[in-house]
Amino acid sequence: MSKSIHLVVIGNGMSGMATIEHLLKRQNGMDITVFGAEPYVNYNRVLLSSVLSGEAGLNEIILNTQEWYDSHGIELHTGTSVIKIDEANRKVVSDKGEDYHYDKLLIATGSRPFIPPIKGIETTDRNLLSGVFTFRNLDDTRNMMEWAQKSRKAIVIGGGLLGLEAARGLINQGLEVTVVHLMDRLMEMQLDSTAAEILKKEMSRLGINVLLSHSADEIITEGGNITGVRFTNGSAYEADMVIVATGIRPDVKLAIDSGITVNRGIVVDDYMQTSAPDIYAVGECVEHKGQVYGIVAPIIEQAKVAASAISGDHTIKYKGSVIAAKLKVADIPLAAIGNIRQSVGCEEIVYSDGGASIYRKLVIQGGRITGAILLGDLDGYERYLGLIRDQEDISLQRKTLLTGQPETVKSVSSMPDSATICGCMGVSKGEIINAIEEYGLTSIQGISDKTRACTSCKGCTPKIEQILQNVLGGEYVKQEGQYIFCECIPMTWEDIRKDVISRRLKSVSEILQILGNGTGCPSCRHGLDYMLTELYIDDYDKECETLPVNDRFHANIQKDETFSVVPRIYGGVITPDELRVIADVADRYEVPMVKITGGQRIDLLGIKREQLQSVWSDLNMPSGHAYTKAVRTCKTCVGDMFCRYGVQNSVALGIEMEKIYQGIPGPGKIKMGVSGCPRNCVESRIKDIGIVGIQTGWEVYIGGNGGVKTRIADLLAVVKTREDVIDITGIFLQYYRENARWTERTSNFVERVGIEHIRAVLLEDKAGIIDNLRNRMREVIGAYKDPWLELSNV
């Protein structure tokens, strides 16, 4: 296509950008001008939910649009709307009165939120009342987060995907949240009554109140501020803010004003062309064969077809998309595919375990799957999506449809290049292979950057790994090699531990003589000493020379060979008398620096070796264990003692946890945090053990890390009481101590072992070891002795 061809794109959201990306791949030399009312692109419901829930920063998902467009020679007009399409003269008119010629035109105006007729929801100039929000774009998300800072109670009107995701996000912002829904069940378009009831239970577990069969009648205000919502049944509930998530409507005003055929959406044919020559449309504004789509995957599929047709290639047709919706709420795996409504001639295959919150249902008609619901377990999602999309006869697979993969299921290598690998973003196998070869990609992250595959639910990760293996061969190895503890003792950590137990070896020297080279090195001797204390607590032969300098002197050696002394300050709470003692010690020993640490403690830096015992004695405070691999700190926020957002007493729980677990040795250092509300000021979700207070109790997270390789912790359990928190964290801590490898932090341990496996062991007692772990932890806690207090009294 010649350089003179000029494409104008109306809308700079995901559908417009996706079409441009496919056009650029064709390298057709087309001039492109883009008009967008918003200043950023490349966001979707998944990313908005991640921002609101605190799982991603707002800036993380704002693409620098000007830089991206400039790099491709595309003319971009952000904050500019097209108000008229002059089809006869092939030009568009902007809201600034400027005319722009086009040869081809793409309408990607998306959708607008539907605002139900609720009294008081809008001002006299038809704007939403202050404190009422929709949840459609980054501005909505930003405004909601700012308003939440001064609110305590939120009502979400709408119990569909978006409403539930908004509710979870607001819970994480520290609000008390109620979801009200017009229908008698949540997500009635995607779920049957059984699945919806389980979902309601799971939302309640997260602290979200759900009211069904409620129709909002009026926004209640006082002095111009929202105080609540009244419903048609006469009930009323308090609220400081209201989120409206009652569906969308295609944005078709421009098309109607321009004489383009519109029904519910802009009507397009199989090439995404409208009723007007050379004018195409994609995304949520479009209607194809009576169907309007509001999720990502169909939009990506439409973008491919539109790009092809705009380029003059009519070999690809849009045949419609299988609706596959996933709920993006942490810890509630839920997907609905296809049509789950049963009609004449349909059959159902169902597995239901309400106690475990697991529900799996397949709807079958004429020997083919037409719909599926997966709740609590998404295993088989890609398989069912493929069977529904391809309408494959499953008559011979019925026995294994819910119980496992049949042997005849195709491997990725046998799939055609046209096969969809990433259903969320509509990326095919061929596109991934081309990206690997063209850009020399060797990782999933690289593929995500170039194709946007695996940027949403991550369910396609195993398939992409297979493609990498097939394309790169030996250059890509997924599974780790055998983990050898040390060359001095060339065995795995697990095998050494088994031998130490079976042979009753009780000293580092003995282990090295029998299993290793006889001498060892500082690294392995330190690790073996930890293994002995984990196995035998105090009942083993201690050899001081096996320990590094820090552990021998119970302080952290500095580059000038002085030491850092960090007393323990439980939960970061300190008394004036303790502060005076620290100040007096700093003066008495002329401490060069007194530093507040990131763990809510006070560090005395520059202590000479010969001063250590005197400093410990004068401080008369426990060791903070800042020098060793052990439980170090438990950071806390003030919680409900002072903070107006606090919903739980984080200080009391944090102090209790630190006193119980202080100094317990581990394979790696262990940091804890307790937040009094989901605002998470303590950053509990990047701690080894993180606790977050919610309205109904506590969320327990494990495996977080804020260091070199940041990792967001996994939710282990939601519990009701402080006693429950102590019990489950003690069990996990002992499980980690017994099963992690030397120097393996909880973040690496949880990734290696898998959160699902850990939940099965620690919550369901699948291995039958919970009582042993609990009793063993009691022994470890009971045997604790503070090294400073012991040595300072010698």
Side-chain angles (χ1 to χ4, degrees):
M1 195 168 280
S2 70
K3 185 71 175 178
S4 61
I5 297 298
H6 186 204
L7 170 69
V8 169
V9 179
I10 304 173
N12 65 334
M14 174 172 286
S15 56
M17 184 176 183
T19 307
I20 294 171
E21 285 182 319
H22 285 292
L23 281 167
L24 292 174
K25 291 176 184 177
R26 293 175 171 269
Q27 300 178 341
N28 50 39
M30 184 178 292
D31 288 330
I32 302 175
T33 301
V34 178
F35 295 90
E38 297 184 34
Y40 28 66
V41 300
N42 200 26
Y43 61 84
N44 57 28
R45 194 187 87 244
V46 181
L47 297 173
L48 296 180
S49 299
S50 297
V51 171
L52 187 60
S53 64
E55 296 169 6
L58 193 61
N59 290 333
E60 293 178 47
I61 70 169
I62 297 179
L63 185 67
N64 187 333
T65 55
Q66 191 65 59
E67 181 180 340
W68 188 88
Y69 284 112
D70 285 349
S71 67
H72 293 289
I74 297 170
E75 183 181 349
L76 174 66
H77 300 268
T78 55
T80 303
S81 298
V82 171
I83 59 173
K84 180 181 179 181
I85 300 172
D86 184 348
E87 181 188 344
N89 295 303
R90 289 182 173 262
K91 67 179 182 179
V92 298
V93 182
S94 76
D95 56 359
K96 297 174 182 175
E98 298 171 327
D99 294 351
Y100 293 86
H101 164 79
Y102 72 83
D103 295 301
K104 306 278 187 179
L105 180 67
L106 176 69
I107 303 175
T109 47
S111 62
R112 297 184 183 277
F114 170 68
I115 307 299
I118 301 171
K119 286 179 275 188
I121 199 168
E122 292 181 332
T123 61
T124 54
D125 56 359
R126 301 301 302 273
N127 292 319
L128 289 177
L129 184 70
S130 292
V132 177
F133 303 91
T134 55
F135 186 33
R136 293 294 300 163
N137 57 38
L138 291 176
D139 281 336
D140 290 340
T141 307
R142 179 189 289 111
N143 294 336
M144 287 167 62
M145 293 171 69
E146 290 175 354
W147 197 274
Q149 296 298 313
K150 55 184 179 182
S151 303
R152 290 189 62 83
K153 294 184 178 182
I155 286 179
V156 178
I157 300 175
L161 285 168
L162 200 61
L164 298 182
E165 288 166 10
R168 174 57 169 169
L170 290 169
I171 277 283
N172 282 7
Q173 293 291 322
L175 275 68
E176 181 180 329
V177 181
T178 299
V179 173
V180 294
H181 194 48
L182 178 63
M183 309 305 289
D184 62 354
R185 67 179 188 266
L186 296 173
M187 291 178 60
E188 75 282 354
M189 298 299 291
Q190 293 90 13
L191 303 182
D192 61 14
S193 57
T194 304
E197 187 60 33
I198 294 174
L199 175 60
K200 181 175 180 288
K201 182 185 74 171
E202 287 298 290
M203 297 301 291
S204 298
R205 177 181 63 81
L206 295 177
I208 298 169
N209 186 33
V210 177
L211 301 174
L212 301 174
S213 301
H214 274 61
S215 176
D217 180 57
E218 181 182 7
I219 305 296
I220 305 171
T221 60
E222 184 176 323
N225 298 318
I226 294 175
T227 58
V229 178
R230 182 175 290 111
F231 297 88
T232 54
N233 61 8
S235 62
Y237 296 89
E238 292 183 1
D240 308 300
M241 63 186 298
V242 175
I243 290 80
V244 180
T246 51
I248 60 174
R249 299 293 184 268
D251 188 351
V252 296
K253 183 177 184 304
L254 178 63
I256 292 174
D257 292 345
S258 303
I260 295 171
T261 302
V262 172
N263 190 15
R264 283 194 301 153
I266 301 171
V267 176
V268 296
D269 62 16
D270 292 347
Y271 301 105
M272 307 310 298
Q273 181 165 297
T274 69
S275 60
D278 293 321
I279 298 180
Y280 301 80
V282 293
E284 293 176 342
C285 64
V286 159
E287 177 180 335
H288 176 262
K289 294 184 177 178
Q291 181 70 53
V292 175
Y293 299 93
I295 56 178
V296 174
I299 293 172
I300 302 299
E301 293 170 2
Q302 292 173 3
K304 291 180 184 178
V305 175
S308 176
I310 290 170
S311 298
D313 179 0
H314 290 79
T315 60
I316 305 174
K317 289 185 178 182
Y318 181 62
K319 301 177 181 179
S321 301
V322 173
I323 301 294
K326 281 189 177 180
L327 179 65
K328 305 304 188 295
V329 170
D331 315 310
I332 304 182
L334 171 60
I337 312 169
N339 182 11
I340 58 93
R341 290 178 174 79
Q342 190 171 18
S343 57
V344 177
C346 283
E347 305 173 76
E348 295 180 352
I349 302 177
V350 177
Y351 172 83
S352 179
D353 185 346
S357 295
I358 294 176
Y359 183 77
R360 298 166 67 81
K361 172 181 175 178
L362 302 178
V363 178
I364 299 173
Q365 186 171 35
R368 289 165 173 79
I369 302 177
T370 59
I373 299 173
L374 305 176
L375 174 56
D377 178 9
L378 298 185
D379 184 41
Y381 170 82
E382 294 291 341
R383 176 190 178 196
Y384 301 135
L385 178 60
L387 289 172
I388 294 171
R389 182 181 56 240
D390 300 337
Q391 282 297 281
E392 182 180 334
D393 191 322
I394 49 82
S395 301
L396 300 179
Q397 301 181 31
R398 290 181 65 110
K399 291 183 179 180
T400 59
L401 278 175
L402 284 182
T403 58
Q405 297 275 9
E407 294 180 0
T408 57
V409 172
K410 295 180 179 178
S411 67
V412 173
S413 61
S414 65
M415 293 179 178
D417 285 354
S418 60
T420 299
I421 297 298
C422 177
C424 295
M425 293 298 178
V427 183
S428 70
K429 173 185 172 181
E431 288 177 287
I432 293 174
I433 292 174
N434 290 338
I436 293 171
E437 294 175 343
E438 180 178 353
Y439 299 105
L441 305 179
T442 59
S443 68
I444 292 177
Q445 183 59 53
I447 289 172
S448 297
D449 292 341
K450 293 299 182 183
T451 69
R452 293 202 284 184
C454 206
T455 56
S456 183
C457 76
K458 311 294 185 185
C460 56
T461 298
K463 289 184 178 179
I464 295 177
E465 286 178 332
Q466 287 185 50
I467 293 173
L468 281 164
Q469 180 64 62
N470 292 341
V471 175
L472 301 178
E475 295 178 37
Y476 179 79
V477 180
K478 175 191 171 185
Q479 296 184 346
E480 60 181 0
Q482 189 180 38
Y483 170 82
I484 299 299
F485 170 58
C486 182
E487 290 182 2
C488 305
I489 180 169
M491 300 168 61
T492 66
W493 177 261
E494 293 81 1
D495 287 343
I496 296 171
R497 191 173 185 273
K498 290 176 184 176
D499 274 10
V500 169
I501 294 171
S502 64
R503 297 169 184 256
R504 296 292 295 172
L505 305 179
K506 287 201 169 185
S507 75
V508 172
S509 298
E510 192 177 18
I511 295 172
L512 288 168
Q513 285 293 335
I514 295 174
L515 303 178
N517 64 3
T519 56
C521 65
S523 178
C524 70
R525 289 198 296 266
H526 189 196
L528 293 173
D529 183 82
Y530 164 72
M531 181 181 287
L532 292 172
T533 191
E534 180 265 304
L535 289 172
Y536 305 121
I537 305 179
D538 278 332
D539 185 24
Y540 70 97
D541 297 330
K542 298 180 178 65
E543 299 168 313
C544 185
E545 65 274 13
T546 66
L547 299 176
V549 171
N550 285 359
D551 287 75
R552 291 205 301 270
F553 291 98
H554 303 287
N556 198 354
I557 193 167
Q558 305 297 300
K559 66 180 183 179
D560 61 356
E561 297 190 356
T562 63
F563 288 82
S564 160
V565 170
V566 184
R568 189 169 291 281
I569 299 175
Y570 296 108
V573 178
I574 192 167
T575 67
D577 286 342
E578 289 170 329
L579 284 171
R580 292 187 189 96
V581 168
I582 292 173
D584 289 343
V585 167
D587 285 340
R588 186 175 305 126
Y589 294 94
E590 298 180 345
V591 175
M593 178 179 285
V594 180
K595 177 79 170 61
I596 303 294
T597 75
Q600 298 181 339
R601 302 189 294 187
I602 297 175
D603 189 355
L604 304 176
L605 290 144
I607 305 293
K608 298 175 183 176
R609 180 182 300 184
E610 61 270 18
Q611 295 175 325
L612 285 173
Q613 289 200 17
S614 298
V615 169
W616 297 337
S617 179
D618 290 353
L619 284 172
N620 194 31
M621 297 173 72
S623 168
H625 292 87
Y627 50 84
T628 190
K629 291 177 173 59
V631 175
R632 294 193 173 183
T633 62
C634 187
K635 290 177 66 173
T636 68
C637 65
V638 297
D640 64 0
M641 294 178 67
F642 292 97
C643 180
R644 62 196 179 100
Y645 299 114
V647 296
Q648 296 291 350
N649 191 338
S650 50
V651 172
L653 177 57
I655 290 174
E656 183 179 5
M657 288 178 63
E658 189 164 356
K659 286 185 174 180
I660 290 174
Y661 301 134
Q662 60 183 333
I664 290 177
K669 59 186 176 183
I670 300 159
K671 298 180 180 181
M672 304 184 295
V674 181
S675 299
C677 80
R679 276 184 165 79
N680 214 354
C681 296
V682 173
E683 300 166 334
S684 295
R685 293 198 63 187
I686 55 171
K687 296 290 184 287
D688 296 279
I689 297 175
I691 313 300
V692 178
I694 57 177
Q695 293 285 344
T696 55
W698 304 91
E699 294 176 334
V700 180
Y701 292 89
I702 57 172
N705 193 316
V708 175
K709 183 182 178 183
T710 304
R711 183 181 190 274
I712 302 300
D714 291 300
L715 180 66
L716 174 62
V718 178
V719 299
K720 293 184 178 180
T721 67
R722 285 163 53 183
E723 292 77 14
D724 293 335
V725 173
I726 298 298
D727 184 55
I728 191 63
T729 54
I731 292 170
F732 167 72
L733 188 55
Q734 185 59 25
Y735 183 69
Y736 163 66
R737 294 178 73 243
E738 292 182 8
N739 292 279
R741 299 162 178 167
W742 176 240
T743 73
E744 186 175 39
R745 291 289 298 273
T746 61
S747 55
N748 302 111
F749 173 70
V750 171
E751 279 192 353
R752 176 170 64 86
V753 176
I755 186 62
E756 295 299 333
H757 176 77
I758 293 172
R759 286 174 182 154
V761 172
L762 303 188
L763 304 183
E764 304 171 34
D765 202 15
K766 287 291 182 67
I769 61 173
I770 286 181
D771 287 341
N772 290 336
L773 294 172
R774 187 179 286 122
N775 293 334
R776 185 65 172 165
M777 178 50 64
R778 291 192 187 113
E779 292 180 36
V780 173
I781 294 168
Y784 172 72
K785 298 173 184 176
D786 185 85
W788 287 5
L789 298 182
E790 273 196 309
L791 292 171
S792 63
N793 292 326
V794 173

